[in-house]
Amino acid sequence: MCGIIAYAGEKDGREIVLKGLKKLDYRGYDSWGIAGISEEKIWLHKTTGTVNTDLVGGPSNITIGHTRWATTGRVNKANAHPQLSNDNKIALVHNGIIDNYLKIKDNLTRKGYEFSSETDTETIPNLIQSHMEGKKEGFIEAFRETLKELQGSYAIAAINNNTLAFARQDSPLVIGVGEKEIYIASDTSPFLDKTNKVIFLDEGDWGYYKDGELAIFDSKDNKKEIKAEEIKWQQEDEHTKKQDFPHYMLKEIYEQPNTILKSAEQPNLEEAKQAIKESSEIFLTGSGTSYNACLAASSFFSKQGKRATPILASEHQDIEHFFDNTKTMIIVSQSGETADLIEVVDKAKAKDVRIIGIINVPGSTLWRKSDIVLGMNAGQEIGVASTKAYTATLIIFSKLTGKQTNEQELSNYLTQKIKPWHSQVKELIKKINKDLFIIGRGEAVSYAKETALKVKEVSYIRAEGMAGGELKHGTLALIEENTPVIAITTPKTRQDLVNNALEIRSRGGYIIGIDKEKQECYDYFIPCKYPILSVIPGQLLAYELSISKGYNPDKPRNLAKSVTVK
Ligand code: F6R
């Protein structure tokens, strides 16, 4: 989703910001822009499409940049950020949504302000300008006044003269602290190669950098002590370079023999297990792929005699009233910044529910909100479609629930199988062009849903993942001659699932079995000894379908890596 990177210091910030924008690429965006101040005047460059790192504007010690994923207003140059104030003295970038922007816009219009974009963001620099009117100085005061009037979510960086101001409310913003310079960004990725000293802003924090001084205030305007943490998570080349792979998605799929091993290293595991043991009820919460992992976890827990309820982060309204201090919520998030999940976590924390976070990005908002963290250890995931984070999460859940999993065995098996699976799915893509169904039972419902999500995301083919037993209750009506159906089995559910596959086959469906052993009813067979790995052929299939259609699987249309709006 939208990304911010700003620089203030003694260097020319243009290259830093442009390269930073490139590093924010992975979040997904449709337009971008940069602004700086040269010879006391603001310059601005913005456009739709991909970030180009050729220098624009003039040398600038304070520079802001933004990648936009459209929310309010279409994808075009006018709506890209930075947005300027009417007097061209303030440039501002914003992530989030200002709920009351129409009212603000209306008031400003009545005062004679003009607007050249459809965005909510453009109201902010103009509101700041209006608070500065009649005052010679006062950008910082006007910035603060403006924040008080904004309703909604925001991460903001704004420049005026020699000042860079920033604020955060329900949208992530972090500060990188260097030698006589600072970086403001939506996550640490655009500046970690420059400094690993990071200040994580809390909700409602705001501040500025001016004449070499960094000041941060809380929501009640108390000045905060400047205390940077050292972040250990370097974005090593191992994770940020594609190496010999044509796409990050493929590289990340192939990394799984290694990430599976890394995810099993959990120093806080015993503490988390104890917390679970003491809890009267367990909730499992996440969105998208992370929620799909929760579905498998629910089955793992149940096999160990513990009930754990999976809840979509965006659908927590009906369970909120069950929150209390005897309960534990296990949250899953690759980015650690998903707005839907942050909302439910805040509600749970307010009622003293204990939070165990399975999070990939160290220092992210959800990482810091968790009482106990089990890091996914998957390394940065750049492809928008989550792959290695899902299997890393499954391994952590298997450890947490005491499922007998030997990750070394899994890793060895995967190393052996990944290439043959890849060749097999290349044969399969000609069978799939319209609809695809994926069925499973028990924990494999999670694998079926996750396979479907991958296929939808990157190949834009309609795919439905579901419980095999549900087919005959409606979806079977969609099965025609040669409709492809993937059946993912587990030892316990094999017989029932095979029966479901037979029902499909008798109606002409084409059955692709992902199973330990070939069954008579499979038209095509992909051997997989361990159900916990059975999503991986599906990840490869999704990738190859995307390639066969000429799409870029790393950047699926309309999607963003880090979903920071509700
Ligand atoms: C799918 C995908 C999304 C995310 C979801 C939650 O490939 O990546 O469905 O899983 O947006 O994101 P996180 O895990 O960052 O909270």
Side-chain angles (χ1 to χ4, degrees), residues 186-242:
S186 17
D187 65 49
T188 56
S189 62
F191 63 73
L192 261 193
D193 58 336
K194 309 270 187 298
T195 178
N196 64 351
K197 295 200 182 78
V198 181
I199 299 172
F200 294 96
L201 295 175
D202 292 317
E203 299 304 351
D205 281 0
W206 67 280
Y208 60 85
Y209 186 82
K210 183 182 179 183
D211 303 329
E213 188 214 346
L214 171 65
I216 305 177
F217 303 87
D218 68 14
S219 58
K220 297 203 167 75
D221 295 341
N222 300 308
K223 197 163 183 177
K224 293 177 80 167
E225 192 191 339
I226 305 292
K227 229 169 46 196
E229 293 171 35
E230 276 198 27
I231 285 291
K232 291 202 187 79
W233 197 50
Q234 294 291 355
Q235 279 135 326
E236 308 112 15
D237 282 358
E238 183 198 334
H239 295 299
T240 54
K241 298 257 156 56
K242 271 189 259 178

Side-chain angles (χ1 to χ4, degrees), residues 287-290 332-336 338 341 384-386 453-454 457 561 563:
S287 304
T289 292
S290 294
V332 181
S333 178
Q334 188 287 128
S335 63
T338 301
L341 190 54
V384 165
S386 192
L453 186 60
K454 289 292 89 86
E457 274 180 287
K561 185 73 187 156
V563 187

Side-chain angles (χ1 to χ4, degrees), residues 283 285 311 315-323 329 344:
F283 304 112
T285 317
I311 292 144
E315 284 296 324
H316 60 267
Q317 63 280 355
D318 294 338
I319 51 132
E320 276 170 44
H321 53 280
F322 297 123
F323 292 168
M329 178 179 282
V344 57

